[in-house]
Amino acid sequence: RLILDKFSNTDDRFNKHRNYMMILLSVLCELEIVSTNFVRDIKKRKVIKHIRLVLTDEERVLVNEYLFEYFPEFHRFLHIFFHSGARISELLRVKDIDIDFKNQRFRLLIQKGSNYREVWRQIKTVALPYWEEQMKTCKENDFVFSKGLMPGVNQIQPYQINKRWYRHVKKKFNIKADFYSLKHLHTTEVVEMINSNEAALHNGHTSTDMVNKVYDIRRVSRNQKNIIDLDNKFA
């Protein structure tokens, strides 16, 4: 508990660090090095659930034009990620053998929960030119995104995407939205253009719960608009 207090400067960090320590202790329990996962007895701290910040329409145009001109590889990755429905880590594991242009799809390895699984995700037609450009120099068994966000033999880590976003976007233009918020933005637009079921399917969710609770950032405002428009007079 003293370790958590010392190295957690916010309540959210405290809960994150607590979770990591629980994972570590669970491994030690399996190896019978410790008898119990005592970190579970440390209570989580209450945190404020902040409204997810996303790019405005003006910021989307600004970021798109800037990255296209100065950082075309990052620009291409942004568009592929935005339309993919994948997590950053999942996209960085994709290799050339996972791309099926004939059926306009790519294969993902989902490492979440107790069971890992492979799934196919569709390549949207609007994103197809970016995939085709990215694959021009991709060799057999290459990762689609490696060093410099170009195809290569070495897998890169998700934090490198966030570092690029911070340096080229957040810091330069004083933009508050993080890179992963692009997934929230795209999911919301799929809900509005089709429905939440299709959005959940595209993101690889087994139900619409995550879409409704996490990714559909305008769900509450749409419901509020319905309330505002009600004409149920008292008399």
Side-chain angles (χ1 to χ4, degrees):
R1 173 59 189 271
L2 292 175
I3 292 173
L4 286 172
D5 287 340
K6 183 174 181 179
F7 293 101
S8 306
N9 55 354
T10 66
D11 291 338
D12 184 64
R13 284 287 96 193
F14 180 94
N15 292 340
K16 290 280 187 183
H17 294 157
R18 173 186 174 274
N19 186 55
Y20 296 148
M21 291 179 72
M22 283 179 60
I23 294 171
L24 172 62
L25 263 294
S26 68
V27 175
L28 298 180
C29 284
E30 278 190 276
L31 297 174
E32 298 182 351
I33 295 173
V34 296
S35 59
T36 182
N37 194 333
F38 49 81
V39 180
R40 286 198 181 96
D41 294 331
I42 300 175
K43 294 182 179 179
K44 283 184 178 182
R45 290 182 179 176
K46 293 183 178 180
V47 296
I48 298 172
K49 188 175 181 180
H50 296 283
I51 296 172
R52 167 65 74 166
L53 297 176
V54 297
L55 298 178
T56 65
D57 291 342
E58 293 77 14
E59 288 172 339
R60 290 170 74 167
V61 173
L62 176 65
V63 170
N64 184 64
E65 292 179 348
Y66 176 74
L67 293 183
F68 177 77
E69 182 173 357
Y70 295 103
F71 303 98
E73 293 83 8
F74 193 26
H75 174 267
R76 190 160 55 247
F77 179 85
L78 180 151
H79 280 266
I80 290 175
F81 172 78
F82 179 76
H83 294 289
S84 70
R87 298 178 181 86
I88 298 173
S89 58
E90 294 167 352
L91 201 55
L92 295 180
R93 287 195 292 265
V94 173
K95 292 187 172 185
D96 74 306
I97 57 175
D98 299 317
I99 310 301
D100 179 9
F101 278 129
K102 181 179 179 181
N103 295 300
Q104 210 162 308
R105 63 182 185 173
F106 66 100
R107 181 169 50 197
L108 284 180
L109 173 61
I110 308 298
Q111 296 182 346
K112 189 175 182 182
S114 57
N115 297 313
Y116 293 175
R117 68 188 192 279
E118 289 184 338
V119 298
W120 288 106
R121 293 283 172 82
Q122 298 306 130
I123 298 176
K124 293 168 61 180
T125 301
V126 67
L128 189 58
Y130 300 105
W131 280 99
E132 291 174 338
E133 181 67 24
Q134 184 68 18
M135 296 300 294
K136 282 183 178 180
T137 60
C138 197
K139 301 176 182 178
E140 184 177 357
N141 212 37
D142 271 358
F143 288 99
V144 175
F145 297 101
S146 184
K147 185 177 180 180
L149 295 180
M150 294 298 293
V153 297
N154 297 315
Q155 183 179 354
I156 61 174
Q157 297 301 313
Y159 77 86
Q160 295 178 256
I161 304 302
N162 296 318
K163 282 180 64 176
R164 279 183 170 85
W165 183 257
Y166 174 77
R167 185 168 62 249
H168 301 318
V169 177
K170 295 185 76 172
K171 188 175 180 180
K172 182 172 184 60
F173 299 111
N174 195 30
I175 285 175
K176 305 301 181 184
D178 58 35
F179 185 83
Y180 196 72
S181 69
L182 298 181
K183 183 170 182 178
H184 295 74
L185 192 56
H186 181 262
T187 302
T188 301
E189 293 178 350
V190 173
V191 171
E192 293 175 342
M193 297 173 75
I194 310 178
N195 55 54
S196 58
N197 289 322
E198 291 296 329
L201 183 64
H202 183 62
N203 286 354
H205 299 147
T206 56
S207 71
T208 59
D209 287 347
M210 285 295 291
V211 169
N212 294 334
K213 294 178 181 178
V214 179
Y215 289 104
D216 184 3
I217 56 172
R218 290 199 282 264
R219 182 170 181 266
V220 173
S221 62
R222 287 196 300 272
N223 292 338
Q224 291 172 338
K225 181 65 166 57
N226 292 334
I227 294 296
I228 290 173
D229 293 338
L230 286 177
D231 191 26
N232 54 325
K233 297 178 182 179
F234 174 72

Short mmCIF file of all heavy atoms in Angstrom, two decimals, residues 112-147:
data_model
loop_
_atom_site.label_atom_id
_atom_site.label_comp_id
_atom_site.label_asym_id
_atom_site.label_seq_id
_atom_site.Cartn_x
_atom_site.Cartn_y
_atom_site.Cartn_z
N LYS A 112 -7.43 -10.92 -25.72
CA LYS A 112 -8.20 -10.32 -24.65
C LYS A 112 -9.04 -11.41 -23.99
O LYS A 112 -9.63 -12.24 -24.67
CB LYS A 112 -9.10 -9.20 -25.18
CG LYS A 112 -9.78 -8.39 -24.09
CD LYS A 112 -10.55 -7.23 -24.68
CE LYS A 112 -11.20 -6.39 -23.57
NZ LYS A 112 -11.99 -5.27 -24.10
N GLY A 113 -9.12 -11.36 -22.66
CA GLY A 113 -9.88 -12.38 -21.96
C GLY A 113 -9.06 -13.65 -21.77
O GLY A 113 -7.84 -13.68 -21.96
N SER A 114 -9.74 -14.71 -21.42
CA SER A 114 -9.04 -15.96 -21.11
C SER A 114 -8.64 -16.73 -22.37
O SER A 114 -7.75 -17.58 -22.32
CB SER A 114 -9.95 -16.85 -20.24
OG SER A 114 -11.19 -17.09 -20.89
N ASN A 115 -9.29 -16.46 -23.49
CA ASN A 115 -9.00 -17.19 -24.72
C ASN A 115 -8.58 -16.23 -25.83
O ASN A 115 -9.25 -15.23 -26.08
CB ASN A 115 -10.23 -17.98 -25.18
CG ASN A 115 -10.64 -19.05 -24.19
OD1 ASN A 115 -9.80 -19.80 -23.71
ND2 ASN A 115 -11.93 -19.10 -23.85
N TYR A 116 -7.46 -16.52 -26.50
CA TYR A 116 -7.04 -15.76 -27.66
C TYR A 116 -7.74 -16.32 -28.89
O TYR A 116 -8.01 -17.52 -28.97
CB TYR A 116 -5.53 -15.84 -27.86
CG TYR A 116 -4.72 -15.15 -26.78
CD1 TYR A 116 -3.33 -15.25 -26.77
CD2 TYR A 116 -5.33 -14.41 -25.77
CE1 TYR A 116 -2.57 -14.62 -25.79
CE2 TYR A 116 -4.59 -13.79 -24.80
CZ TYR A 116 -3.20 -13.90 -24.80
OH TYR A 116 -2.46 -13.27 -23.83
N ARG A 117 -8.02 -15.46 -29.86
CA ARG A 117 -8.70 -15.93 -31.07
C ARG A 117 -8.33 -15.07 -32.26
O ARG A 117 -7.95 -13.91 -32.10
CB ARG A 117 -10.23 -15.92 -30.87
CG ARG A 117 -10.83 -14.54 -30.75
CD ARG A 117 -12.31 -14.60 -30.37
NE ARG A 117 -12.98 -13.32 -30.52
CZ ARG A 117 -12.91 -12.33 -29.63
NH1 ARG A 117 -12.21 -12.49 -28.54
NH2 ARG A 117 -13.56 -11.20 -29.84
N GLU A 118 -8.44 -15.65 -33.44
CA GLU A 118 -8.23 -14.92 -34.69
C GLU A 118 -9.58 -14.57 -35.29
O GLU A 118 -10.52 -15.37 -35.25
CB GLU A 118 -7.41 -15.75 -35.68
CG GLU A 118 -5.96 -15.91 -35.28
CD GLU A 118 -5.16 -16.66 -36.35
OE1 GLU A 118 -5.79 -17.39 -37.15
OE2 GLU A 118 -3.93 -16.50 -36.39
N VAL A 119 -9.67 -13.36 -35.85
CA VAL A 119 -10.92 -12.91 -36.47
C VAL A 119 -10.58 -12.20 -37.77
O VAL A 119 -9.46 -11.70 -37.95
CB VAL A 119 -11.72 -11.96 -35.55
CG1 VAL A 119 -12.13 -12.66 -34.26
CG2 VAL A 119 -10.91 -10.70 -35.23
N TRP A 120 -11.54 -12.14 -38.67
CA TRP A 120 -11.41 -11.36 -39.90
C TRP A 120 -12.14 -10.03 -39.72
O TRP A 120 -13.24 -9.98 -39.18
CB TRP A 120 -12.00 -12.10 -41.08
CG TRP A 120 -11.21 -13.27 -41.55
CD1 TRP A 120 -11.49 -14.58 -41.37
CD2 TRP A 120 -9.99 -13.22 -42.31
NE1 TRP A 120 -10.53 -15.37 -41.94
CE2 TRP A 120 -9.59 -14.56 -42.53
CE3 TRP A 120 -9.19 -12.20 -42.81
CZ2 TRP A 120 -8.44 -14.89 -43.24
CZ3 TRP A 120 -8.03 -12.52 -43.51
CH2 TRP A 120 -7.68 -13.85 -43.72
N ARG A 121 -11.50 -8.96 -40.15
CA ARG A 121 -12.13 -7.64 -40.17
C ARG A 121 -12.15 -7.13 -41.61
O ARG A 121 -11.17 -7.28 -42.34
CB ARG A 121 -11.34 -6.65 -39.30
CG ARG A 121 -11.39 -6.96 -37.82
CD ARG A 121 -12.71 -6.55 -37.19
NE ARG A 121 -12.78 -7.03 -35.81
CZ ARG A 121 -12.23 -6.41 -34.77
NH1 ARG A 121 -11.54 -5.29 -34.96
NH2 ARG A 121 -12.34 -6.90 -33.57
N GLN A 122 -13.25 -6.51 -41.97
CA GLN A 122 -13.39 -6.00 -43.33
C GLN A 122 -12.55 -4.74 -43.54
O GLN A 122 -12.37 -3.94 -42.62
CB GLN A 122 -14.85 -5.68 -43.63
CG GLN A 122 -15.77 -6.90 -43.58
CD GLN A 122 -15.30 -8.02 -44.47
OE1 GLN A 122 -15.20 -9.16 -44.04
NE2 GLN A 122 -15.01 -7.71 -45.73
N ILE A 123 -12.03 -4.60 -44.73
CA ILE A 123 -11.34 -3.37 -45.14
C ILE A 123 -12.36 -2.51 -45.88
O ILE A 123 -12.82 -2.86 -46.97
CB ILE A 123 -10.14 -3.67 -46.06
CG1 ILE A 123 -9.11 -4.52 -45.31
CG2 ILE A 123 -9.50 -2.37 -46.54
CD1 ILE A 123 -7.93 -4.94 -46.18
N LYS A 124 -12.73 -1.40 -45.29
CA LYS A 124 -13.69 -0.51 -45.92
C LYS A 124 -13.13 0.02 -47.24
O LYS A 124 -11.93 0.27 -47.35
CB LYS A 124 -14.03 0.65 -44.98
CG LYS A 124 -14.79 0.23 -43.73
CD LYS A 124 -14.85 1.34 -42.70
CE LYS A 124 -15.55 2.58 -43.22
NZ LYS A 124 -15.59 3.65 -42.18
N THR A 125 -13.99 0.19 -48.20
CA THR A 125 -13.56 0.67 -49.51
C THR A 125 -12.86 2.02 -49.41
O THR A 125 -11.88 2.28 -50.12
CB THR A 125 -14.77 0.77 -50.46
OG1 THR A 125 -15.38 -0.52 -50.57
CG2 THR A 125 -14.36 1.25 -51.83
N VAL A 126 -13.32 2.86 -48.52
CA VAL A 126 -12.72 4.18 -48.36
C VAL A 126 -11.29 4.07 -47.84
O VAL A 126 -10.45 4.96 -48.08
CB VAL A 126 -13.58 5.06 -47.41
CG1 VAL A 126 -13.56 4.51 -45.99
CG2 VAL A 126 -13.14 6.51 -47.45
N ALA A 127 -10.96 2.98 -47.14
CA ALA A 127 -9.62 2.79 -46.58
C ALA A 127 -8.74 1.93 -47.49
O ALA A 127 -7.53 1.83 -47.25
CB ALA A 127 -9.71 2.15 -45.20
N LEU A 128 -9.29 1.32 -48.50
CA LEU A 128 -8.56 0.39 -49.35
C LEU A 128 -7.31 1.02 -50.00
O LEU A 128 -6.25 0.38 -50.03
CB LEU A 128 -9.49 -0.18 -50.42
CG LEU A 128 -8.95 -1.33 -51.27
CD1 LEU A 128 -8.52 -2.50 -50.39
CD2 LEU A 128 -9.99 -1.78 -52.29
N PRO A 129 -7.37 2.25 -50.53
CA PRO A 129 -6.17 2.84 -51.13
C PRO A 129 -5.00 2.96 -50.15
O PRO A 129 -3.84 2.82 -50.55
CB PRO A 129 -6.65 4.23 -51.59
CG PRO A 129 -8.12 4.08 -51.76
CD PRO A 129 -8.55 3.12 -50.70
N TYR A 130 -5.31 3.21 -48.87
CA TYR A 130 -4.25 3.33 -47.87
C TYR A 130 -3.60 1.97 -47.61
O TYR A 130 -2.37 1.88 -47.47
CB TYR A 130 -4.80 3.91 -46.56
CG TYR A 130 -5.40 5.28 -46.72
CD1 TYR A 130 -6.78 5.47 -46.74
CD2 TYR A 130 -4.57 6.40 -46.87
CE1 TYR A 130 -7.32 6.74 -46.90
CE2 TYR A 130 -5.11 7.68 -47.03
CZ TYR A 130 -6.48 7.82 -47.04
OH TYR A 130 -7.02 9.08 -47.20
N TRP A 131 -4.39 0.91 -47.54
CA TRP A 131 -3.87 -0.44 -47.38
C TRP A 131 -3.00 -0.82 -48.59
O TRP A 131 -1.92 -1.39 -48.43
CB TRP A 131 -5.00 -1.44 -47.23
CG TRP A 131 -5.60 -1.52 -45.85
CD1 TRP A 131 -6.74 -0.93 -45.41
CD2 TRP A 131 -5.09 -2.27 -44.74
NE1 TRP A 131 -6.99 -1.24 -44.10
CE2 TRP A 131 -5.99 -2.08 -43.66
CE3 TRP A 131 -3.98 -3.08 -44.55
CZ2 TRP A 131 -5.79 -2.66 -42.41
CZ3 TRP A 131 -3.77 -3.67 -43.30
CH2 TRP A 131 -4.68 -3.46 -42.26
N GLU A 132 -3.49 -0.54 -49.78
CA GLU A 132 -2.75 -0.90 -50.99
C GLU A 132 -1.41 -0.18 -51.06
O GLU A 132 -0.40 -0.77 -51.45
CB GLU A 132 -3.60 -0.59 -52.22
CG GLU A 132 -4.82 -1.50 -52.36
CD GLU A 132 -5.75 -1.09 -53.49
OE1 GLU A 132 -5.71 0.10 -53.89
OE2 GLU A 132 -6.51 -1.94 -53.95
N GLU A 133 -1.39 1.09 -50.69
CA GLU A 133 -0.15 1.85 -50.68
C GLU A 133 0.82 1.29 -49.65
O GLU A 133 2.02 1.18 -49.90
CB GLU A 133 -0.45 3.32 -50.38
CG GLU A 133 0.77 4.24 -50.38
CD GLU A 133 1.40 4.39 -51.75
OE1 GLU A 133 0.70 4.19 -52.76
OE2 GLU A 133 2.60 4.73 -51.80
N GLN A 134 0.29 0.94 -48.48
CA GLN A 134 1.12 0.41 -47.41
C GLN A 134 1.75 -0.92 -47.78
O GLN A 134 2.89 -1.22 -47.40
CB GLN A 134 0.28 0.25 -46.13
CG GLN A 134 1.05 -0.21 -44.90
CD GLN A 134 2.03 0.84 -44.39
OE1 GLN A 134 1.94 2.01 -44.72
NE2 GLN A 134 2.99 0.40 -43.59
N MET A 135 1.04 -1.73 -48.55
CA MET A 135 1.50 -3.09 -48.86
C MET A 135 2.45 -3.15 -50.05
O MET A 135 2.98 -4.22 -50.37
CB MET A 135 0.29 -3.99 -49.14
CG MET A 135 -0.63 -4.18 -47.93
SD MET A 135 0.23 -4.92 -46.52
CE MET A 135 0.61 -6.55 -47.18
N LYS A 136 2.72 -2.03 -50.72
CA LYS A 136 3.56 -2.03 -51.91
C LYS A 136 4.97 -2.56 -51.63
O LYS A 136 5.57 -3.22 -52.49
CB LYS A 136 3.63 -0.62 -52.51
CG LYS A 136 2.40 -0.23 -53.30
CD LYS A 136 2.57 1.16 -53.91
CE LYS A 136 1.36 1.54 -54.75
NZ LYS A 136 1.52 2.90 -55.34
N THR A 137 5.51 -2.24 -50.46
CA THR A 137 6.87 -2.67 -50.14
C THR A 137 6.89 -3.79 -49.10
O THR A 137 7.97 -4.12 -48.57
CB THR A 137 7.69 -1.47 -49.61
OG1 THR A 137 7.06 -0.96 -48.42
CG2 THR A 137 7.78 -0.37 -50.65
N CYS A 138 5.73 -4.36 -48.80
CA CYS A 138 5.64 -5.39 -47.77
C CYS A 138 6.11 -6.74 -48.33
O CYS A 138 5.60 -7.22 -49.35
CB CYS A 138 4.21 -5.51 -47.26
SG CYS A 138 4.06 -6.37 -45.69
N LYS A 139 7.10 -7.36 -47.67
CA LYS A 139 7.64 -8.64 -48.09
C LYS A 139 7.02 -9.78 -47.29
O LYS A 139 6.29 -9.55 -46.31
CB LYS A 139 9.16 -8.65 -47.93
CG LYS A 139 9.87 -7.57 -48.73
CD LYS A 139 11.36 -7.57 -48.46
CE LYS A 139 12.06 -6.46 -49.22
NZ LYS A 139 13.52 -6.42 -48.92
N GLU A 140 7.32 -10.98 -47.69
CA GLU A 140 6.75 -12.17 -47.05
C GLU A 140 7.09 -12.19 -45.56
O GLU A 140 8.26 -12.03 -45.17
CB GLU A 140 7.27 -13.43 -47.72
CG GLU A 140 6.64 -14.71 -47.17
CD GLU A 140 7.14 -15.94 -47.91
OE1 GLU A 140 7.92 -15.80 -48.87
OE2 GLU A 140 6.75 -17.05 -47.51
N ASN A 141 6.07 -12.36 -44.75
CA ASN A 141 6.18 -12.47 -43.29
C ASN A 141 6.56 -11.15 -42.61
O ASN A 141 6.89 -11.13 -41.42
CB ASN A 141 7.17 -13.56 -42.89
CG ASN A 141 6.78 -14.22 -41.57
OD1 ASN A 141 5.60 -14.43 -41.30
ND2 ASN A 141 7.77 -14.55 -40.76
N ASP A 142 6.54 -10.04 -43.34
CA ASP A 142 6.77 -8.72 -42.74
C ASP A 142 5.57 -8.31 -41.90
O ASP A 142 4.42 -8.66 -42.21
CB ASP A 142 6.97 -7.66 -43.83
CG ASP A 142 8.42 -7.53 -44.24
OD1 ASP A 142 9.28 -8.22 -43.67
OD2 ASP A 142 8.69 -6.73 -45.17
N PHE A 143 5.85 -7.54 -40.84
CA PHE A 143 4.77 -6.81 -40.18
C PHE A 143 4.37 -5.66 -41.10
O PHE A 143 5.23 -5.01 -41.70
CB PHE A 143 5.23 -6.26 -38.83
CG PHE A 143 5.41 -7.31 -37.77
CD1 PHE A 143 6.67 -7.82 -37.49
CD2 PHE A 143 4.32 -7.81 -37.07
CE1 PHE A 143 6.84 -8.79 -36.51
CE2 PHE A 143 4.48 -8.79 -36.10
CZ PHE A 143 5.74 -9.28 -35.82
N VAL A 144 3.09 -5.41 -41.21
CA VAL A 144 2.61 -4.33 -42.09
C VAL A 144 3.12 -2.99 -41.59
O VAL A 144 3.46 -2.10 -42.38
CB VAL A 144 1.07 -4.35 -42.18
CG1 VAL A 144 0.57 -3.16 -43.00
CG2 VAL A 144 0.59 -5.66 -42.81
N PHE A 145 3.18 -2.83 -40.27
CA PHE A 145 3.69 -1.59 -39.67
C PHE A 145 4.88 -1.93 -38.78
O PHE A 145 4.72 -2.56 -37.74
CB PHE A 145 2.61 -0.88 -38.87
CG PHE A 145 1.44 -0.43 -39.69
CD1 PHE A 145 0.27 -1.16 -39.72
CD2 PHE A 145 1.52 0.72 -40.47
CE1 PHE A 145 -0.81 -0.76 -40.48
CE2 PHE A 145 0.45 1.14 -41.24
CZ PHE A 145 -0.72 0.40 -41.26
N SER A 146 6.07 -1.50 -39.20
CA SER A 146 7.28 -1.74 -38.43
C SER A 146 7.98 -0.39 -38.21
O SER A 146 7.30 0.64 -38.09
CB SER A 146 8.18 -2.73 -39.18
OG SER A 146 9.32 -3.06 -38.43
N LYS A 147 9.28 -0.38 -38.18
CA LYS A 147 10.03 0.84 -37.92
C LYS A 147 9.67 1.91 -38.95
O LYS A 147 9.63 1.66 -40.14
CB LYS A 147 11.52 0.54 -37.99
CG LYS A 147 12.40 1.72 -37.61
CD LYS A 147 13.87 1.34 -37.63
CE LYS A 147 14.75 2.53 -37.26
NZ LYS A 147 16.20 2.16 -37.28
#
